[in-house]
Amino acid sequence: MQTTSVLIQSLCVPCFNRCRYCLLSWNGRLEGTDWDRSVRLAKRYLKEIRARQPELSAAFAFGYSMEHPDLRAAIRTLHSLGSPMADFLQCDGMQMRNEEACRALMEMLREEGIRRLNFTVYGSPEYHDAFAGRRGDHALLMRMMHAAREFRIPFSTGIPVTRENIGQVEESVGLLRNLGSERISLFIPHEEGRGWSLRHIRLREQDMSHLSPETRSLLNRALYRTEGDWLSEPPPVENSRMILISLRPETIETYEGTDALTAIRETEELDERNSASFPDFRTLSEMYGDPAGRQLYRFRDLQAHYRRRYAAEHDLHLYDVTDERQSGSRRY
């Protein structure tokens, strides 16, 4: 297993939504170390990684949202650290802004060299607001997209698709095209974080018949396949991983007292122990798989689905390396 990239993260900025499938299970409580302390450590770690393991891709990012209290200064810091986030902003969960404030935001982003934005739309205005957990969120995204187009900042959009909102997708795609979205992607929500609550409305292959051929093409069917399709062929080989170092109040002193390569190695060991606690995918699929299953999954989501069942059945209480609120890993 080869580590190819390292992301240093601090969840030190609030999100204004409470989305039903929140990967980070946002509950209104910040779990990251404060900004200044996080940046100081990130600068040192990035310097050490680039000097001692330059083959690793390394970056710093923050969350839960991009609504930093001094976003201009934060973007400049990200630029100085060579972070991809300095060029691409995910604009979900931002604070409410009227049309004038949206224009001011986009003007600032253009001045700071932001190259692309991304927005997530869950369906009709009423459904979107309910899913996002905030009244008026759909209208806010529309204002922000209008402003982005005015200031010529390219943006892309994503629509998570379930059996619950499939009937709203065509209209949403048409709206986003009219607003100028350069790329529209459909995706199947994960089951991580609060996404577990959506497992009963996971999209099935037959549900795609509600969409036009053009709209169906917006879902990457090489990435999202039925459970039966995944089980009918040898599983993909995962030989690479990303290491996530999450700076939290309970871990920051430990990280400040060590070097970056030690922190990476210790997180790799967490990844190895976690992986060794489960049978391989083929064994799990024989235990829990449905060869006739027509629900659509990414491979990693299906594997995680089986692992969750195995852990519950065998009363395993493991450190979850895929919980992106804490340090961990992603294999691919």
Side-chain angles (χ1 to χ4, degrees):
M1 183 60 57
Q2 180 180 7
T3 298
T4 59
S5 62
V6 178
L7 179 63
I8 304 162
Q9 163 192 275
S10 182
L11 299 175
C12 59
V13 175
C15 178
F16 290 83
N17 286 354
R18 294 291 190 279
C19 297
R20 284 171 60 189
Y21 72 155
C22 181
L23 174 68
L24 301 171
S25 300
W26 167 245
N27 61 7
R29 182 169 62 88
L30 294 175
E31 299 194 25
T33 303
D34 72 80
W35 173 256
D36 290 337
R37 194 173 181 183
S38 298
V39 169
R40 283 196 300 272
L41 182 60
K43 285 181 177 179
R44 175 165 71 85
Y45 272 23
L46 291 173
K47 183 177 180 180
E48 292 171 357
I49 293 168
R50 290 164 183 166
R52 299 171 61 187
Q53 283 196 249
E55 72 280 5
L56 291 180
S57 171
F60 171 71
F62 67 89
Y64 287 85
S65 78
M66 302 301 98
E67 195 64 80
H68 191 283
D70 189 346
L71 184 54
R72 187 190 293 272
I75 291 170
R76 292 179 178 178
T77 296
L78 293 172
H79 272 298
S80 72
L81 296 175
S83 173
M85 188 187 284
D87 297 322
F88 175 86
L89 285 186
Q90 177 68 48
C91 294
D92 300 324
M94 305 286 277
Q95 68 182 0
M96 281 293 169
R97 289 176 168 85
N98 60 23
E99 184 175 331
E100 181 180 356
C102 287
R103 295 181 72 256
L105 173 65
M106 296 303 160
E107 183 175 26
M108 183 274 288
L109 296 180
R110 186 181 65 178
E111 290 171 353
E112 295 303 321
I114 295 296
R115 297 180 181 178
R116 185 169 297 276
L117 308 175
N118 182 262
F119 303 89
T120 308
V121 174
Y122 304 126
S124 68
E126 297 79 11
Y127 182 87
H128 174 100
D129 288 356
F131 193 99
R134 179 169 62 155
R135 187 183 300 275
D137 190 68
H138 188 276
L140 171 63
L141 295 189
M142 300 302 108
R143 290 193 294 272
M144 293 178 72
M145 289 183 217
H146 276 292
R149 183 171 63 180
E150 179 181 349
F151 285 90
R152 298 182 180 179
I153 302 177
F155 64 90
S156 58
T157 48
I159 304 174
V161 188
T162 68
R163 297 204 302 270
E164 193 173 81
N165 74 339
I166 186 72
Q168 304 170 34
V169 171
E170 289 284 359
E171 185 175 354
S172 295
V173 167
L175 174 63
L176 295 174
R177 284 202 176 106
N178 289 335
L179 285 167
S181 179
E182 289 197 347
R183 183 171 180 267
I184 303 171
S185 301
L186 307 184
F187 62 94
I188 310 295
H190 53 75
E191 293 181 357
E192 298 175 49
R194 283 203 290 270
W196 181 245
S197 68
L198 303 183
R199 65 192 183 280
H200 301 302
I201 56 173
R202 176 173 288 276
L203 197 71
R204 303 164 302 187
E205 187 174 49
Q206 58 266 38
D207 299 318
M208 297 290 287
S209 64
H210 292 278
L211 304 177
S212 68
E214 183 180 11
T215 300
R216 284 201 296 269
S217 71
L218 302 178
L219 181 73
N220 183 345
R221 289 304 305 276
L223 181 63
Y224 296 103
R225 306 177 63 188
T226 68
E227 180 178 13
D229 286 341
W230 284 121
L231 300 186
S232 67
E233 299 178 0
V237 177
E238 295 181 321
N239 52 24
S240 300
R241 67 184 162 203
M242 179 274 288
I243 290 297
L244 172 65
I245 296 176
S246 190
L247 308 181
R248 300 166 58 94
E250 66 269 26
T251 62
I252 186 65
E253 288 189 8
T254 299
Y255 284 135
E256 287 173 334
T258 192
D259 63 275
L261 299 194
T262 299
I264 292 169
R265 185 176 66 252
E266 291 175 349
T267 311
E268 289 172 336
E269 291 170 357
L270 291 174
D271 171 80
E272 297 292 346
R273 286 199 295 271
N274 181 271
S275 181
S277 300
F278 296 99
D280 63 21
F281 178 80
R282 182 57 65 195
T283 302
L284 288 171
S285 67
E286 291 170 355
M287 297 171 68
Y288 306 114
D290 178 5
R294 308 318 293 167
Q295 289 185 315
L296 295 166
Y297 290 89
R298 288 179 302 180
F299 173 74
R300 83 175 192 189
D301 290 338
L302 183 58
Q303 179 170 253
H305 181 83
Y306 294 158
R307 284 182 171 184
R308 183 189 286 263
R309 292 186 61 181
Y310 181 90
E313 206 171 85
H314 292 80
D315 198 29
L316 294 182
H317 301 281
L318 304 172
Y319 180 93
D320 186 358
V321 294
T322 67
D323 183 342
E324 294 192 9
R325 294 171 297 179
Q326 59 192 20
S327 296
S329 59
R330 286 289 184 183
R331 292 190 173 195
Y332 59 94

